[in-house]
Amino acid sequence: NAGVTQTPKFQVLKTGQSMTLQCAQDMNHNSMYWYRQDPGMGLRLIYYSASEGTTDKGEVPNGYNVSRLNKREFSLRLESAAPSQTSVYFCASSKGGLAYTEQFFGPGTRLTVL
Amino acid sequence: GENVEQHPSTLSVQEGDSAVIKCTYSDSASNYFPWYKQELGKRPQLIIDIRSNVGEKKDQRIAVTLNKTAKHFSLHITETQPEDSAVYFCAASKTGNQFYFGTGTSLTVIP
């Protein structure tokens, strides 16, 4: 059981470049999430997917798009990267909804935008 | 939306002492409050959680208390050990899908 996996682990982009962060889980979870973590800011929700086929904005969605490809996979796309998007990105999954269950996090992607 | 504030931002304690981290939330509809521990360079992991129909929950050396009237909840770690050194995050949710995190507390346990 790999849990939640993310690729890549590190990435350096130039301003204006695009990229997609990949996330997959093998726990048959319904809900998946993308967070960014910045020093002194804690974890902030970018987008979440409560179930396959649905996505919703979180606290800080501007500049990002997501795709829930299937139950296992949830990708995050930066169409035109900006230095303000330099951050550590975590994907997470949970059984979700009213069960209020534990979120399991991936190892993170450290993104630097120059 | 919800606003979660967490204090202190840093905390140093001697090994064996207790540590207390406090969080307040703004949305009275929030009803689920997890605490996550993040060791340096690692992913956050759930250590304990509490739901709004419970006032206190314990798990060995860790306890969480919730005061719904005052809209605050606290993490208590007793008999601290060096391996408790980490960043701790509180969070609040009312839907079980959208979570709002505090800004974190960096705990250092001095041997």
Side-chain angles (χ1 to χ4, degrees), chain A residues 91-104:
Chain A
C91 176
S93 72
S94 74
K95 289 181 184 176
L98 295 174
Y100 306 145
T101 51
E102 176 179 0
Q103 292 187 68
F104 293 83

Side-chain angles (χ1 to χ4, degrees), chain A residues 4 31 33 35 37 40-43 45 48 50 57-59 90 96-97 99-103 105-107, chain B residues 2 31-32 36 38 41-46 49 51 89 93-104:
Chain A
V4 181
S31 299
Y33 314 82
Y35 290 93
Q37 184 175 36
M41 299 290 288
L43 291 152
L45 184 64
Y48 67 98
K57 294 178 180 179
E59 272 184 272
F90 286 99
Y100 306 145
T101 51
E102 176 179 0
Q103 292 187 68
F105 285 83
Chain B
E2 173 69 277
N31 51 19
Y32 175 63
Y36 284 81
Q38 185 177 28
K42 302 287 182 64
R43 69 192 80 187
Q45 291 189 298
L46 181 75
D49 57 11
R51 303 181 195 283
F89 294 96
S93 177
K94 63 182 178 183
T95 64
N97 280 315
Q98 193 147 3
F99 289 78
Y100 294 86
F101 282 79
T103 50

Side-chain angles (χ1 to χ4, degrees), chain A residues 24-62:
Chain A
Q25 51 91 10
D26 62 1
M27 295 175 283
N28 200 34
H29 284 168
N30 294 309
S31 299
M32 297 186 74
Y33 314 82
W34 277 107
Y35 290 93
R36 60 177 289 172
Q37 184 175 36
D38 303 293
M41 299 290 288
L43 291 152
R44 292 184 292 168
L45 184 64
I46 304 171
Y47 272 93
Y48 67 98
S49 170
S51 61
E52 186 178 354
T54 68
T55 60
D56 286 287
K57 294 178 180 179
E59 272 184 272
V60 290
N62 291 345

Side-chain angles (χ1 to χ4, degrees), chain A residues 58-96:
Chain A
E59 272 184 272
V60 290
N62 291 345
Y64 305 95
N65 285 300
V66 290
S67 295
R68 183 75 183 265
L69 304 169
N70 48 55
K71 192 170 186 179
R72 290 187 64 248
E73 298 171 290
F74 188 38
S75 63
L76 178 72
R77 183 160 178 84
L78 287 69
E79 290 291 351
S80 179
S84 61
Q85 295 178 305
T86 293
S87 188
V88 179
Y89 291 85
F90 286 99
C91 176
S93 72
S94 74
K95 289 181 184 176

